[in-house]
Amino acid sequence: MVKITIADGKTEKVFGCVEGDSILVTLRKNNVYVPAYCDGRGTCKKCRVRLIEGELPVTDEDAAAFTLRQLEEGWRLSCRAFPEKDCVIVLETQKEEDFEVLGGRDKVQMEGAPEVHRTKKSDGHLEKADLDNSEARAFGVAVDVGTTTIAMELVDLKDGQVLAWESSINHQRAYGADVISRIQASVAGLGSALKKSVWTDLIEGVAALEEKAGILSGHIEKMTVAANTTMIHLLMGYSCETLGVAPFTPVTTDPIHSRIKEAAGDVLSREEILKYGKMELIILPGISTYVGADIVAGMLVCGFDQIKAPAMLIDLGTNGEMVIGGRTMRVATSTAAGPAFEGGNISWGTGSVGGAICAVSYKDGEMAYETIGNKPPVGICGTGVLDIAAELVGHGLVDETGLLDEDYFDIGVKIADGPGEEPITFTQKDIREIQLAKAAVRAGINVLLKRYGTNGADLAKVYLAGGFGFRLNIDKAVAIGLLPESFSGKITVVGNASLKGARMCLLDENLIGRAWKMAGDTQEISLGNDGDFNEYFMEAMYFER
């Protein structure tokens, strides 16, 4: 067994590497988080390490990921590095601690949505909490477990006040950026590791909320969770074997009522169980394997079972989940957009971290850009990817088929000077990634519109949910054909609707039954079996100008 030493300039960590294991696998086994959006296939180029002692042959994937200078300096992809001798490495993966996560605190109240701020007495009157009497207070946690990030709110159950907010990376990203990668990892025997990963994130989040609010451990009564169906399966430790193969059958999409010690006792420490094990756990219902509790929570927030005029809700991420309809009829679907909207599979792609290029405009032959936090540029996040594509198309540097101008075809278009003055570029491959993502979403929208019997003109509202939708430049999304032109002027950005729905159900458990009924009454369309989807997809591959 060879030794792998991680040096960070201050301390060293030494791990044994089993023959046949990559450095990435070894780090995973030792709970060292490394982003691996492609689940170790060598395509995302995010799991970077730098060899400072030892030998690691240069692979084809390394040669594609790094410059000759970087290769000489020892840069390698940890997923492709299989050491045969002792090695000393430095982790060169992007820091994700400051990942920008969308909360549920933005004030958006939808027509038909129940306005829940405080729990109700049996007589229907609102109960006023005595905030000076700590014994009279009760606390709960609302959680949105996203594929990429986790958002949590500590709520006073007496008056509905949000007392503290916490967010983190979903560290399951070490096993892949999308649900398909996570399903495959679970089926390959890593289900327990994935479960432990997400519960570690949740427990650390609860502890951080307690500290921020100044309350003692063990005083939180319950937790409500909204998430997509795969995240719920991984959270509960359910088998994922039937999620990734036809007919894509989940273990359950019903609401789940449990205690944390029953749901997670196998992956939590004894101390964690003593502190949090008695906490009630409530998971919101979903519709199917690929239309989960997160979209149902959004439907609840937007009051889909109450509104008369038809509306559409679109939640854009690695999956584009969407629903159309109102109180009498609703149709939902999910389309595999891939990780491009979250910076995945893009040459300089990154999540919504400080320094991520998030907005771009083309002026006088150069790209003007904005970064998250106004920090020096480190990469391009999803909204930046869409902006760049729209600018390149709008100024004729990319034609309607997605072909980049020949002057930039081989080297890409420079967007900014990156770390170490290495140019951050947008390449032909990146254009194809955003084409595929936007075509999948637009084709899904078109299928729903057709099945509902409308071209979008009679929709009263179009709600955009999620972090990508929150920051999306609507005009540019319409310009490249991601959204139909008929949506212009009808779009309302609703923020983290999944977290808002979880909070609503935390404060009024009667809403869980309402959400369950809404889920059961919503028809799902499977795009894999839909005759129109492929035609719409091919049409949407073209850029509109």
Side-chain angles (χ1 to χ4, degrees):
M1 180 182 293
V2 302
K3 291 189 299 183
I4 298 173
T5 301
I6 301 176
D8 63 6
K10 298 179 181 178
T11 60
E12 292 186 348
K13 297 179 181 179
V14 182
F15 305 115
C17 180
V18 177
E19 183 179 357
D21 278 357
S22 67
I23 289 179
L24 175 63
V25 169
T26 301
L27 296 178
R28 280 179 177 174
K29 287 181 176 179
N30 289 278
N31 299 316
V32 177
Y33 173 67
V34 177
Y37 303 172
C38 67
D39 192 29
R41 293 187 291 272
T43 57
C44 74
K45 306 174 185 178
K46 307 300 183 188
C47 62
R48 302 177 173 199
V49 298
R50 182 164 50 87
L51 179 73
I52 56 178
E53 289 183 23
E55 295 181 9
L56 288 174
V58 175
T59 67
D60 291 343
E61 291 85 357
D62 292 330
F66 303 113
T67 65
L68 288 175
R69 179 179 176 181
Q70 287 175 319
L71 292 172
E72 291 173 357
E73 292 173 348
W75 290 67
R76 301 288 189 271
L77 297 178
S78 65
C79 67
R80 299 289 91 192
F82 295 86
E84 296 181 357
K85 298 180 180 180
D86 294 351
C87 296
V88 180
I89 62 172
V90 175
L91 298 182
E92 296 287 359
T93 56
Q94 192 174 73
K95 303 297 183 184
E96 296 183 324
E97 288 82 0
D98 63 343
F99 211 108
E100 187 176 72
V101 182
L102 192 62
R105 294 171 293 173
D106 44 314
K107 304 296 184 183
V108 182
Q109 178 66 24
M110 259 48 70
E111 176 188 356
E115 189 169 354
V116 179
H117 297 293
R118 289 174 281 190
T119 51
K120 291 185 177 181
K121 291 183 177 180
S122 58
D123 61 4
H125 290 89
L126 293 176
E127 179 181 14
K128 180 176 176 57
D130 180 6
L131 297 180
D132 294 327
N133 184 354
S134 59
E135 293 182 358
R137 302 179 73 179
F139 306 100
V141 176
V143 184
D144 164 45
V145 180
T147 309
T148 302
T149 58
I150 296 173
M152 309 175 70
E153 291 177 337
L154 178 66
V155 181
D156 189 318
L157 299 180
K158 297 293 184 180
D159 69 356
Q161 181 183 1
V162 177
L163 303 176
W165 148 261
E166 180 66 12
S167 65
S168 75
I169 291 295
N170 183 337
H171 286 89
Q172 291 178 339
R173 280 162 65 87
Y175 301 89
D178 53 55
V179 295
I180 299 300
S181 296
R182 311 268 175 93
I183 290 170
Q184 291 172 343
S186 176
V187 172
L190 295 172
S192 180
L194 287 157
K195 181 178 181 179
K196 182 176 177 58
S197 174
V198 69
W199 274 107
T200 298
D201 288 338
L202 291 180
I203 294 301
E204 289 179 353
V206 169
L209 290 171
E210 291 172 335
E211 182 177 358
K212 288 180 178 180
I215 66 173
L216 297 175
S217 294
H219 284 66
I220 298 175
E221 295 183 1
K222 60 181 176 178
M223 173 189 289
T224 54
V225 177
N228 67 53
T229 305
T230 298
M231 293 304 104
I232 290 171
H233 276 55
L234 297 175
L235 182 73
M236 296 300 295
Y238 295 155
S239 170
C240 292
E241 289 187 3
T242 59
L243 293 184
V245 295
F248 309 107
T249 306
V251 172
T252 184
T253 56
D254 292 349
I256 298 170
H257 288 75
S258 183
R259 298 279 178 184
I260 285 183
K261 64 181 178 181
E262 298 165 358
D266 57 329
V267 295
L268 297 182
S269 69
R270 184 173 181 273
E271 182 182 2
E272 289 167 338
I273 294 172
L274 287 174
K275 281 185 178 181
Y276 306 114
K278 293 182 180 179
M279 191 188 306
E280 184 181 2
L281 175 67
I282 302 172
I283 299 178
L284 274 61
I287 295 172
S288 69
T289 291
Y290 293 113
V291 184
D294 47 358
I295 202 75
V296 174
M299 291 164 63
L300 185 64
V301 169
C302 298
F304 263 72
D305 58 343
Q306 302 290 319
I307 55 178
K308 297 179 181 178
M312 179 175 275
L313 169 65
I314 305 171
D315 191 340
L316 295 179
T318 54
N319 278 338
E321 294 178 83
M322 55 194 77
V323 60
I324 187 173
R327 66 185 184 187
T328 58
M329 175 185 175
R330 293 177 301 278
V331 185
T333 195
S334 174
T335 181
F341 292 144
E342 295 179 340
N345 289 350
I346 302 297
S347 302
W348 276 91
T350 182
S352 299
V353 299
I357 295 171
C358 57
V360 177
S361 59
Y362 187 75
K363 296 179 181 179
D364 302 324
E366 294 185 355
M367 291 291 183
Y369 60 85
E370 298 175 13
T371 65
I372 293 175
N374 294 318
K375 295 181 179 180
V378 297
I380 310 168
C381 68
T383 54
V385 169
L386 186 138
D387 272 19
I388 293 169
E391 292 294 314
L392 294 178
V393 171
H395 288 87
L397 297 181
V398 169
D399 67 18
E400 64 179 10
T401 70
L403 185 64
L404 185 60
D405 186 279
E406 61 181 9
D407 290 343
Y408 305 99
F409 187 86
D410 293 324
I411 60 174
V413 177
K414 180 180 176 180
I415 309 301
D417 289 322
E421 298 186 356
E422 186 179 357
I424 294 175
T425 58
F426 200 74
T427 67
Q428 180 66 66
K429 172 184 174 296
D430 299 333
I431 293 167
R432 296 305 184 204
E433 290 290 339
I434 192 66
Q435 269 186 289
L436 291 168
K438 78 103 175 177
V441 170
R442 180 60 183 272
I445 291 172
N446 287 350
V447 169
L448 277 193
L449 291 174
K450 182 173 182 178
R451 294 296 174 271
Y452 194 78
T454 179
N455 59 7
D458 60 347
L459 292 179
K461 290 281 186 180
V462 176
Y463 299 111
L464 283 187
F468 179 75
F470 190 77
R471 305 174 189 89
L472 183 66
N473 185 312
I474 303 300
D475 291 337
K476 290 182 178 179
V478 171
I480 68 167
L482 174 66
L483 301 175
E485 191 171 350
S486 61
F487 285 7
S488 297
K490 300 179 180 181
I491 295 175
T492 298
V493 176
V494 298
N496 192 335
S498 179
L499 182 59
K500 291 178 184 177
R503 189 205 313 149
M504 288 167 60
C505 291
L506 182 70
L507 294 168
D508 185 353
E509 289 191 27
N510 291 325
L511 293 176
I512 298 171
R514 178 174 157 188
W516 195 12
K517 184 178 188 307
M518 194 164 14
D521 292 343
T522 301
Q523 176 190 354
E524 183 202 10
I525 294 175
S526 174
L527 296 180
N529 301 322
D530 190 276
D532 293 315
F533 178 76
N534 287 339
E535 181 179 347
Y536 285 137
F537 182 88
M538 294 307 298
E539 291 175 358
M541 281 291 290
Y542 289 90
F543 286 112
E544 298 178 4
R545 285 199 287 176

